[in-house]
Amino acid sequence: MYLADSRSTKPAVASDTRPGRRPAAVPGTVLALGAVSLITDISSEMVTAVLPLYVVVGLGLSPLGFGLLDGINNGVGALVRLAGGHLADRGGRRHKVVAGLGYGLSAVCKPLLLITHTLPVISAVLAVDRTGKGLRTAPRDAMISLATEPGHRGRAFGIHRAMDTTGALLGPLVAFAVLRATVDGYDAVFAVSGCVAALGVLVLVLFVPRRIRPTGAGAVQLPESARPVLRDALGLLRRPELRRLTVCATLLGLTTVSDSFLYLLLQREGDLPAHLFPLLPLGTAAVFLLLAVPLGALADRISRRRLFLGGHGVLLLGYGLVLCPWHGIPAVVAVLVLHGTFYAATDGVLAAATADVVPVQHQGAGQALVGSGQALARFTCSLVFGAVWSLWGGRTALAVTAAALAISALTASFVLRPADEVST
């Protein structure tokens, strides 16, 4: 990695393009962004690990109220993602500026939790934190796309997601260690989380270049007068391939059960002891970490859309295992392996597939359109799944969702089939 001169206006070259030299599969920019995500995820997951207990037990909010609070904040993040993608493109591809604003907002929110003790104020702080996440996601993925040769984007996104997931694994462990070592545990967690988040912003400023020159044969540098406008960003959906991808990501998102609901069902149906419940997310994250890079590389060799659909097939198999009469620890482990494989085959792969069908000048907006559609669909699925569970029980809710997922996957395979995969 290298220090990025924030004062320079010269675009950074993402890979070595001199004659006779093979471009790097994963440029330093991608590794730098992965380091930022790793550090930031440690900070975020520290708070996520203790916040439910802090709000429900410490401040007296009901679990239903916390669920609604978390859902609304996630919805805010999904909507803001659209603005973040457009602002990054509109600024002459100054994706680092918008991403830095998002990381900065989230970093400021962590210490604010030290001085907020009422639910309305905590809700506002969490909303700002989600706003920061929404702002940074699309510009960050756009920078990864621009910095990487098209034929290596699956691997690049896989490495980034693996580093991000490493932070998600370390965050709860750091929070647990802080709680064990301090008297005022919650305040200590929030303080340490703020310091870690500030470190992530510092790494972004020092090691991520201000401008990234697009790579690949089709990369075109736009003059400053050709900056994208909002009408052009929204008009991206007129592009058939992007429209198909967005529709399918949204359709499949409508049948993707939230992790929390799936873990709760798995604990109940798999007869898992209650004290082992906190280990379930770590199991999924560990499998995701192990498979993100190899499946990302596989996506570079085969159809990325096909792998994305295959990942949802793996998720459907996981739903089936939860519903089958096979119980016990082996069944739980099998479901976690399938769940982690699903994320490894879909998360970064979808971003790479999106980059293939979006013009260079609209990478931020294109990533935001697909990502927001998927995020809002999953939020809707959570609301509907919770309502069905309340009326007819968890098994019935999952069975209905599994049937809907099978239909959605078949429909998506038909919708995406006419689109030719970008040659890698």
Side-chain angles (χ1 to χ4, degrees):
M1 292 191 294
Y2 51 88
L3 290 179
D5 185 357
S6 61
R7 296 170 295 179
S8 174
T9 59
K10 183 178 179 181
V13 179
S15 59
D16 191 348
T17 58
R18 289 176 293 173
R21 296 295 300 272
R22 183 178 180 181
V26 182
T29 298
V30 175
L31 298 178
L33 288 168
V36 174
S37 293
L38 187 156
I39 296 169
T40 302
D41 244 35
I42 292 176
S43 170
S44 298
E45 293 302 321
M46 286 180 65
V47 175
T48 300
V50 302
L51 191 63
L53 192 62
Y54 173 69
V55 173
V56 173
V57 176
L59 302 180
L61 184 66
S62 68
L64 176 60
F66 178 77
L68 291 174
L69 173 65
D70 186 64
I72 292 173
N73 289 331
N74 283 321
V76 169
L79 291 174
V80 172
R81 187 180 302 188
L82 291 171
H86 171 65
L87 288 174
D89 293 336
R90 183 68 182 89
R93 292 198 302 273
R94 292 190 177 93
H95 300 90
K96 177 180 176 179
V97 175
V98 179
L101 177 62
Y103 282 111
L105 283 176
S106 295
V108 169
C109 289
K110 302 305 189 300
L112 287 180
L113 291 172
L114 290 168
I115 58 176
T116 57
H117 302 287
T118 61
L119 294 179
V121 180
I122 290 178
S123 300
V125 171
L126 294 178
V128 174
D129 177 70
R130 295 296 184 177
T131 298
K133 182 175 182 179
L135 280 175
R136 69 181 183 251
T137 300
R140 180 203 65 202
D141 286 350
M143 284 190 284
I144 296 173
S145 300
L146 294 171
T148 310
E149 288 284 339
H152 298 302
R153 281 174 177 157
R155 182 191 299 272
F157 276 103
I159 289 176
H160 174 270
R161 296 313 196 255
M163 296 178 73
D164 183 87
T165 305
T166 301
L169 280 169
L170 294 175
L173 299 178
V174 174
F176 176 77
V178 171
L179 286 174
R180 293 272 296 181
T182 58
V183 177
D184 297 325
Y186 293 124
D187 287 348
V189 168
F190 297 150
V192 174
S193 175
C195 294
V196 175
L199 176 61
V201 176
L202 182 62
V203 172
L204 176 75
V205 171
L206 293 179
F207 293 100
V208 177
R210 182 179 178 184
R211 297 281 190 94
I212 300 174
R213 177 179 299 164
T215 61
V220 177
Q221 294 292 324
L222 291 182
E224 289 298 317
S225 60
R227 293 177 182 177
V229 297
L230 182 59
R231 181 178 62 256
D232 296 332
L234 296 177
L236 286 174
L237 290 177
R238 289 195 296 266
R239 301 175 65 88
E241 291 191 354
L242 182 62
R243 184 169 63 248
R244 293 188 188 107
L245 194 61
T246 303
V247 168
C248 291
T250 302
L251 181 64
L252 293 168
L254 287 171
T255 54
T256 302
V257 178
S258 75
D259 294 353
S260 298
F261 280 130
L262 184 63
Y263 294 146
L264 186 57
L265 268 173
L266 184 60
Q267 188 268 330
R268 293 184 177 184
E269 299 296 328
D271 297 327
L272 187 72
H275 68 277
L276 296 180
F277 182 82
L279 298 179
L280 297 180
L282 298 181
T284 294
V287 176
F288 186 5
L289 173 62
L290 291 174
L291 296 182
V293 176
L295 289 184
L298 179 63
D300 290 334
R301 295 194 297 271
I302 67 172
S303 168
R304 287 165 183 157
R305 297 179 180 87
R306 188 176 298 126
L307 184 60
F308 177 70
L309 292 173
H312 286 84
V314 171
L315 179 64
L316 181 60
L317 182 58
Y319 289 171
L321 283 181
V322 175
L323 294 171
C324 79
W326 182 33
H327 294 168
I329 299 297
V332 171
V333 172
V335 172
L336 293 179
V337 169
L338 293 172
H339 197 221
T341 303
F342 155 71
Y343 276 119
T346 58
D347 190 5
V349 172
L350 177 61
T354 302
D356 290 338
V357 297
V358 176
V360 167
Q361 66 269 28
H362 290 300
Q363 278 292 324
Q367 295 288 349
L369 283 171
V370 177
S372 295
Q374 184 187 59
L376 290 173
R378 288 181 174 179
F379 169 59
T380 302
C381 178
S382 295
L383 294 180
V384 175
F385 189 89
V388 175
W389 185 333
S390 300
L391 292 174
W392 295 297
R395 285 183 62 87
T396 300
L398 187 61
V400 171
T401 304
L405 176 57
I407 296 172
S408 298
L410 288 175
T411 303
S413 65
F414 176 78
V415 171
L416 291 178
R417 185 167 51 186
D420 294 329
E421 179 70 12
V422 174
S423 175
T424 60

